[in-house]
Amino acid sequence: MDNLKIGFIGGGAIAEAILSGIIKAGLVPARNINVAEIIESRRAYLQTTYNIEAQGEGNIVGSSVDVLFLTVKPQVVHGILKSIYKSVKKDTLIISVVAGLTLESLQRYFSEQPVIRVMPNTPVAVGEGMAAIAMGQYATEDDKKIALEIFDSVGKAVVLSESAMDAVTGLSGSGPGYAFVIIDALADAGVKMGLTRDVSITLAAQTMLGAAKMVLETGKHPAELRDMVTSPGGTTIAGIYELEKSAVRSALIDAVESATNKSKSMGKKNG
């Protein structure tokens, strides 16, 4: 990959997280990355921080790269695509992280060109993101390998059919929001029990991080790991009983379902 030239249309937080991951992982040198961003101060920040190229015009970036990321807001993407698609090289791989933008819609702009749709989440900013990748009909195994290498550099990535993308959005796309609510609630509980706020937040966040790593690194089912720390008549089962009594499990399932349905409605509007 080190000879590839990679471009971004949009220089916001997700673009920064992805490009920083690419640079840190050594996938391509910083000089091979070019970002189109309309805000001058943001361009200057990205250039200074990462030693990359930054332009004000998307056409310049689109015409000169091998892989082009679409990292803009859903409400502006169609206008941007209409202004740049003719200038993009015909063999450029298009990777979209735009919520609700379907492969079919992308293919209308880039006919017979490799396109990939990705749903990442915000922890890509700290190298612990989760991304689901859906392949367009002209995307090859080499294209898939490129996408996987890039998103593995900022966390983990899986390849799924596009039909799963709304559920992915409801679970991992929106999931950090649910986790932040849980961490905040646990921290409140710590404060109620006499701990300081900063200590409570650290205890709650590190506990969630550690539990997640145990699931990923042991390969054990979460229920099995739960049973390992739940002694008969002990403290953990007392706490879990209260969670079950308050229907926390059902609330989380309902949250994912609601977010999935919202994603579906956004797709109909923006796709």
Side-chain angles (χ1 to χ4, degrees):
M1 279 187 60
D2 57 351
N3 291 322
L4 289 178
K5 293 184 178 180
I6 298 178
F8 291 81
I9 304 297
I14 288 293
E16 181 180 359
I18 296 169
L19 71 87
S20 67
I22 290 171
I23 294 169
K24 288 175 184 175
L27 299 182
V28 302
R31 64 178 180 274
N32 284 17
I33 297 176
N34 199 343
V35 178
E37 169 58 50
I38 61 172
I39 300 174
E40 184 177 356
S41 60
R42 183 67 178 170
R43 291 200 304 273
Y45 162 78
L46 292 171
Q47 286 178 304
T48 303
T49 305
Y50 299 102
N51 199 29
I52 63 169
E53 295 293 323
Q55 312 286 339
E57 296 291 333
N59 290 331
I60 297 174
V61 174
S63 64
S64 62
V65 297
D66 304 301
V67 180
L68 182 64
F69 279 88
L70 303 176
T71 48
V72 296
K73 299 294 185 183
Q75 57 266 34
V76 302
V77 67
H78 286 288
I80 290 172
L81 287 173
K82 287 174 184 176
S83 70
I84 69 165
Y85 79 96
K86 290 182 180 179
S87 64
V88 177
K89 295 190 301 180
K90 297 304 179 185
D91 59 348
T92 296
L93 169 62
I94 311 298
I95 301 180
S96 169
V97 300
V98 180
L101 186 64
T102 63
L103 289 170
E104 181 183 2
S105 186
L106 279 169
Q107 213 75 74
R108 286 200 297 269
Y109 292 100
F110 305 102
S111 59
E112 299 185 4
Q113 195 161 337
V115 299
I116 292 176
R117 179 182 174 188
V118 183
M119 180 65 234
N121 62 13
T122 54
V124 296
V126 292
E128 293 293 349
M130 185 67 235
I133 296 170
M135 309 291 291
Q137 66 180 114
Y138 300 109
T140 66
E141 284 298 311
D142 286 340
D143 297 327
K144 179 170 72 174
K145 183 180 178 182
I146 288 170
L148 283 170
E149 282 195 49
I150 289 172
F151 284 96
D152 279 340
S153 75
V154 290
K156 294 184 181 296
V158 294
V159 178
L160 300 171
S161 66
E162 188 178 28
S163 62
M165 280 300 193
D166 291 318
V168 167
T169 301
L171 178 53
S172 68
S174 300
Y178 317 148
F180 297 142
V181 169
I182 293 169
I183 290 169
D184 190 34
L186 288 172
D188 279 348
V191 173
K192 184 179 181 182
M193 294 297 103
L195 300 173
T196 63
R197 174 66 61 182
D198 58 339
V199 167
S200 292
I201 291 174
T202 299
L203 288 169
Q206 182 62 35
T207 298
M208 296 292 285
L209 174 62
K213 288 193 73 172
M214 285 188 72
V215 172
L216 293 172
E217 294 184 8
T218 67
K220 296 181 183 295
H221 192 282
E224 183 179 356
L225 292 170
R226 178 202 62 206
D227 288 347
M228 289 168 58
V229 297
T230 308
S231 303
T235 60
T236 304
I237 191 60
I240 289 173
Y241 170 71
E242 293 298 329
L243 293 176
E244 296 289 5
K245 193 165 64 171
S246 299
V248 169
R249 182 188 301 266
S250 294
L252 289 170
I253 293 171
D254 288 345
V256 172
E257 182 178 12
S258 180
T260 298
N261 291 335
K262 180 65 174 180
S263 178
K264 289 178 181 178
S265 67
M266 289 175 62
K268 291 177 182 178
K269 180 179 179 181
N270 299 321

